[in-house]
């Protein structure tokens, strides 16, 4: 079969896998397509942790047509017993002829074990089909399982002259309606969303997911609040939501902690770094809670600190066709910045697309590279 046909079926597997994005943690999103005599006879994706993997859905749909067929899987089939039996065993039992894999599993429990098991059973295996695309798909899983921390997306919006707010701090709204809808679609697909306490005090946000017809899942709300300045009567604590609010602090003020807990917040005391919450410790705390995808929404001081510590993995920047003029102090990343252009941080896998009246620029600070 030609490389073009391999790419065609793997693209379909990728499209299926994306349907599970943001729902599979701590597992990765995976898609699978079974092909017999050039026709698709079964397909599936992993919908969420605890449910069957993509290969099993595809095999169940294919039935007897899986025997002698080829299967395209975005990620190496698992070879270990977890919440579900090994997919490699299921493929062997079904009698598939060939397995085409996007990339090897970075999970040390698998790491080539699935391929080895399939090959020992006499099944032809070829890895590296659209490897870069498959790696980008599972970048949050790969980072989480190898470092323990979540993959972090920093979302922000600015005007053409580089401002995120006016000179008075007014930021509602920099971006247009369609861009804001995209943000809520993203909130629906992450496990946690984070802001600094300054944003709580200035904007009193809900930090929930608002999609048409009440659809969408609220992520865990995380507030970085070193000195516990979050008001117990803020809107995010008064709303009806299935998601919790986690306040990260270094304060041990029991009166403030009791008030916030009584209001429904969870308060976690973390190590300090320069008299503020250690972001490295916070990211590890979230990773231990199976947060695989973290959406960082503000403010600029928190984003600047996260960037300085190498904790931002992807930038989503909405550029609005507006000019504020003057000398607004509100930029993307405060601080001294680079002294020389050669020191500039470069993004990889950059894309540009329209978002209503805005331009959305997306790029990675730490691109996922196939093993």
């Amino acid at each position: 079969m030609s490389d073009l046909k391999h790419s065609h079926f793997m693209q379909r597997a990728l499209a299926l896998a994306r349907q599970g994005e943001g729902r599979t943690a701590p597992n990765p999103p995976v898609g699978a397509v079974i092909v017999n005599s050039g026709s698709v006879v079964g397909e599936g994706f992993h919908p969420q942790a605890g449910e069957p993997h993509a290969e099993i859905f595809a095999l169940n749909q294919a039935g007897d047509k899986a025997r002698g067929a080829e299967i395209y899987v975005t990620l190496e089939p698992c070879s270990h017993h977890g919440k579900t039996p090994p997919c490699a065993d299921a493929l062997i039992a079904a009698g598939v002829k060939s397995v085409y894999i996007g990339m090897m599993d970075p999970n040390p429990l698998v790491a080539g074990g699935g391929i080895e098991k399939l090959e020992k059973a006499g099944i032809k295996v070829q890895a590296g089909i659209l490897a870069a695309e498959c790696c980008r798909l599972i970048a949050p899983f790969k980072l989480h399982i190898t470092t323990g921390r979540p993959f972090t997306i920093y979302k922000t919006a600015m005007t053409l002259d580089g401002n995120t707010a006016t000179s008075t701090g007014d930021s509602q709204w920099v971006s247009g309606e369609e861009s804001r809808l995209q943000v809520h679609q993203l909130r629906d697909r992450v496990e946690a969303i984070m802001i600094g306490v300054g944003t709580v005090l200035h904007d009193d946000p809900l930090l929930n997911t608002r999609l048409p017809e009440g659809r969408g899942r609220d992520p865990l709300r995380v507030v970085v609040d070193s000195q516990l300045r979050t008001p117990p009567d803020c809107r995010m604590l008064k709303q009806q939501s299935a998601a919790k609010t986690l306040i990260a602090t270094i304060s041990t003020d029991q009166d403030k902690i009791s008030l916030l807990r009584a209001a429904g917040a969870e308060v976690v005391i973390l190590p300090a770094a320069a008299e503020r919450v250690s972001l490295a410790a916070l990211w590890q705390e979230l990773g231990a809670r199976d947060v695989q995808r973290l959406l960082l929404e503000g403010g600029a001081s928190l984003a600047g600190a996260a960037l300085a510590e190498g904790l931002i993995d992807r930038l989503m920047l909405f550029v609005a066709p507006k000019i504020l003029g003057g000398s607004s102090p509100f930029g993307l990343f405060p601080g001294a910045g680079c002294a020389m252009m050669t020191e500039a941080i470069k993004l990889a896998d950059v894309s540009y697309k329209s978002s209503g009246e805005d331009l959305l620029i997306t790029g990675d600070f730490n691109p996922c590279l196939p093993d």
Side-chain angles (χ1 to χ4, degrees):
M1 189 174 287
S2 69
D3 290 343
L4 185 60
K5 289 183 179 179
H6 287 325
S7 296
H8 170 75
F9 289 122
M10 190 60 77
Q11 285 286 7
R12 175 58 186 163
L14 281 163
L16 288 164
R18 292 187 185 105
Q19 295 183 49
E21 274 192 294
R23 295 290 191 268
T24 63
N27 298 336
V30 179
V33 175
I34 298 177
V35 180
N36 198 328
S37 301
S39 299
V40 174
V41 295
E43 58 184 29
F45 68 93
H46 182 43
Q48 65 181 33
E51 293 201 21
H53 292 181
E55 298 94 321
I56 306 306
F57 281 106
L59 286 171
N60 289 342
Q61 191 178 102
D64 292 340
K65 293 180 181 179
R67 187 161 299 278
E70 302 160 318
I71 183 168
Y72 291 81
V73 191
T74 55
L75 189 67
E76 175 185 4
C78 62
S79 58
H80 66 289
H81 284 271
K83 292 183 178 179
T84 57
C87 290
D89 289 353
L91 294 175
I92 293 168
V96 300
K97 178 180 66 175
S98 305
V99 179
Y100 296 97
I101 298 168
M103 64 172 289
M104 289 178 59
D105 195 328
N107 185 348
L109 291 175
V110 182
I115 293 175
E116 182 181 2
K117 180 175 282 192
L118 292 168
E119 289 180 334
K120 282 184 176 180
I123 296 174
K124 175 188 173 183
V125 180
Q126 181 177 336
I129 310 296
L130 299 185
E133 291 91 330
C134 292
C135 191
R136 183 175 173 83
L137 171 72
I138 68 153
F141 169 75
K142 182 177 182 180
L143 185 72
H144 183 241
I145 205 160
T146 55
T147 70
R149 73 169 181 85
F151 183 91
T152 305
I153 305 164
Y154 177 44
K155 183 281 304 178
T156 189
M158 73 175 191
T159 59
L160 286 175
D161 51 349
N163 292 307
T164 60
T166 67
S167 58
T168 63
D170 179 31
S171 61
Q172 296 186 351
W173 299 99
V174 175
S175 57
E177 186 175 345
E178 186 168 325
S179 297
R180 297 198 297 276
L181 175 61
Q182 282 200 55
V183 171
H184 284 281
Q185 291 170 339
L186 180 58
R187 287 182 179 184
D188 178 54
R189 291 289 176 174
V190 298
E191 287 80 43
I193 180 172
M194 180 186 291
I195 58 172
V197 67
T199 301
V200 177
L201 297 173
H202 187 272
D203 297 335
D204 195 14
L206 289 167
L207 286 193
N208 57 10
T209 299
R210 301 185 294 278
L211 292 174
E213 302 175 357
R215 294 181 292 108
R217 178 193 66 177
D218 289 348
L220 170 70
R221 293 174 288 273
V222 182
V223 180
V224 184
D225 184 2
S226 297
Q227 302 304 323
L228 291 182
R229 295 187 292 151
T230 300
D233 63 349
C234 66
R235 293 201 304 159
M236 74 173 68
L237 294 179
K238 294 172 68 176
Q239 67 181 315
Q240 293 295 319
S241 174
K244 296 180 179 180
T245 298
L246 175 69
I247 299 178
T249 187
I250 61 172
S251 173
T252 57
D253 188 319
Q254 292 303 312
D255 290 337
K256 290 182 178 180
I257 291 173
S258 296
L259 287 172
L260 287 167
R261 286 176 174 166
E266 179 183 357
V267 180
V268 58
I269 302 172
L270 294 174
E275 299 183 352
R276 294 185 178 184
V277 169
S278 165
L279 297 187
L282 175 54
W283 260 245
Q284 288 296 318
E285 172 71 22
L286 294 175
R289 293 168 181 251
D290 285 337
V291 174
Q292 199 176 94
R293 291 157 58 95
L294 168 66
L295 177 60
L296 178 59
E297 287 210 11
S301 295
L302 176 58
L307 179 68
E309 294 192 35
L311 294 172
I312 298 179
D313 303 290
R314 180 168 296 162
L315 173 68
M316 287 184 64
L317 173 62
F318 293 93
V319 182
K322 301 173 182 178
I323 295 176
L324 295 179
S327 56
S328 168
F330 298 98
L332 293 185
F333 299 104
C338 300
M340 302 294 292
M341 189 59 69
T342 53
E343 300 171 355
I345 301 171
K346 296 182 179 179
L347 297 177
D349 298 328
V350 180
S351 67
Y352 308 85
K353 60 178 67 175
S354 61
S355 176
E357 62 185 18
D358 306 323
L359 173 67
L360 171 59
I361 303 173
T362 304
D364 289 350
F365 291 97
N366 303 306
C368 184
L369 300 176
D371 293 325

